[in-house]
Amino acid sequence: MTATTGLRFECHAAPVPGVDGSAHLVLLQVIPPPVTTERPPVDLVIALDRSSSMRGPRIAAAVEAVRQIGARLSERDRLGVVVFDARAVLVMNPAPPNPTNVAEVCSRLTRLGVGYGTNLHAGWNLAAEWLLRGGIPGASKTLLVLTDGFPSVGEDRLDLLGNLVREGKQRGVTTDTVGLGEGCWEDLLVAIRLPVFTRRAKREVATHPKFFFFDAGVYRALRPRGPLDSAEE
């Protein structure tokens, strides 16, 4: 006997030898449904540093990384590429990757070579802008920065660059970083990837299409206070 639901049950019965037909041995097998290994789709935009410090093996490694990432993604995914030196430029409009468009973007990256200046702020902004345009339902939005980590144009403060990335996180964009070559500025890559610790109670602001008036004194009296709250708040 077999009964099929979300789980599959198989029941086998046989009479006990030497006993009348009222006694049976029963074996019940519970078979779980097959585990699907299909991963969710990926929405990825790569921000690639093409500043002069990336000359030689660093830019070659970055182009090879784009080639290998494109080969591992499928047409269920979306891949885009932004390059930045003193300014940021889109070189591959986010689209499902295939051998043809991946080969074309790698060839274009090789022809572009390196420029001058490193405007990481502009590169991240442009990549995030294209990542948030359209997209694939249910896909994780990831922005991958390939750099040697030395911003020289535009914003270069670690805390402000980190805040930019965290603002993107609130909009659904996850930023990952890869440092290319020896001597890259690891502090910058860590600052982008990890939140800065501040000795304050953490609060998240949520936006809703509603507006309420509330007495501030009542709020202060009812709100629980912790060791990280300061007297002036």
Side-chain angles (χ1 to χ4, degrees), residues 44 46-51 54-72 79-84 91-92 99 101-115 144-148 178-181:
L44 173 66
I46 299 172
L48 191 154
D49 184 353
R50 61 176 293 260
S51 60
M54 290 281 291
R55 191 182 310 276
R58 296 185 183 188
I59 192 70
V63 174
E64 181 60 25
V66 173
R67 179 180 292 108
Q68 293 194 22
I69 289 171
R72 284 165 172 75
L79 175 64
V81 179
V82 165
V83 296
F84 61 93
V91 295
M92 179 180 179
N101 61 14
V102 171
E104 287 176 353
V105 73
C106 289
S107 177
R108 185 177 179 188
L109 290 171
T110 301
R111 292 195 305 271
L112 279 173
V114 298
L144 177 61
V145 180
L146 303 179
T147 180
D148 60 358
V178 175
L180 299 171

Side-chain angles (χ1 to χ4, degrees), residues 155-175:
E155 187 56 67
D156 61 356
R157 284 179 52 184
L158 300 184
D159 56 341
L160 295 182
L161 289 170
N163 287 338
L164 182 72
V165 170
R166 281 180 283 284
E167 289 173 7
K169 181 70 173 178
Q170 293 179 352
R171 300 173 66 189
V173 175
T174 299
T175 301

